[in-house]
């Protein structure tokens, strides 16, 4: 893994989202990741994850052609939360101008209008 500044994302299959963290160590097929709160404080001790659940932070290159029915990832953090923003799997339900109504695939969020960015 050649993650810039050690920043990586860990996939949480239960929530269907990618959570940001920092690469600490690699051992065979496991990766150790440290998580931080939005204010930079530690969110607890580093944890080990299987190699296949960790990815480098994708670079965003646009412009994109977003269409209804397309699978996307939406950056979201609950207002007032100290957690950093995570990338949640979603599907575009409808599109109007620079906004998309998305259905989050985790099932715990209602459909929401988000900006294309």
């Amino acid at each position: 893994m050649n993650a810039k500044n050690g920043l990586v994302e860990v996939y949480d299959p239960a929530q269907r989202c990618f959570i940001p963290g920092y690469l600490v160590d690699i051992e065979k097929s496991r990766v150790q990741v440290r998580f931080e709160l939005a204010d930079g404080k530690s969110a607890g001790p580093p944890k080990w994850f299987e190699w296949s659940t960790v990815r480098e932070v994708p670079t965003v290159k646009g412009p994109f052609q977003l269409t209804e029915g397309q699978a996307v990832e939406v950056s979201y953090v609950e207002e007032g939360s100290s957690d950093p923003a995570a990338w949640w799997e979603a599907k575009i339900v409808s599109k109007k101008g620079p906004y998309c109504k998305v259905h989050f695939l985790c099932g715990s969020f209602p459909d929401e209008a988000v900006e294309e960015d």
Side-chain angles (χ1 to χ4, degrees):
M1 249 195 218
N2 186 18
K4 183 178 180 182
N5 299 325
L7 187 61
V8 295
E9 293 177 334
V10 178
Y11 184 69
D12 180 345
Q15 297 187 74
R16 298 187 73 159
C17 71
F18 290 90
I19 302 169
Y22 292 90
L23 183 65
V24 175
D25 196 4
I26 299 173
E27 181 183 279
K28 297 186 181 187
S29 64
R30 301 185 320 156
V31 179
Q32 190 178 44
V33 177
R34 173 180 47 87
F35 298 100
E36 292 182 354
L37 301 174
D39 62 7
K41 293 181 182 174
S42 175
K47 297 179 183 176
W48 288 98
F49 297 93
E50 289 299 315
W51 178 271
S52 62
T53 64
V54 178
R55 72 178 186 186
E56 290 185 64
V57 176
T59 56
V60 178
K61 295 180 182 177
F64 299 101
Q65 284 287 68
L66 300 176
T67 59
E68 291 180 11
Q70 182 178 2
V72 294
E73 291 177 9
V74 178
S75 178
Y76 180 85
V77 66
E78 195 168 321
E79 194 171 318
S81 173
S82 62
D83 292 333
W87 288 94
W88 299 83
E89 293 180 334
K91 187 174 189 177
I92 297 174
V93 176
S94 63
K95 184 170 174 354
K96 292 185 182 181
Y99 299 95
C100 296
K101 184 174 183 181
V102 297
H103 174 75
F104 290 96
L105 301 181
C106 65
S108 62
F109 293 122
D111 291 357
E112 188 169 319
V114 297
E115 293 184 53
E116 280 184 336
D117 297 346

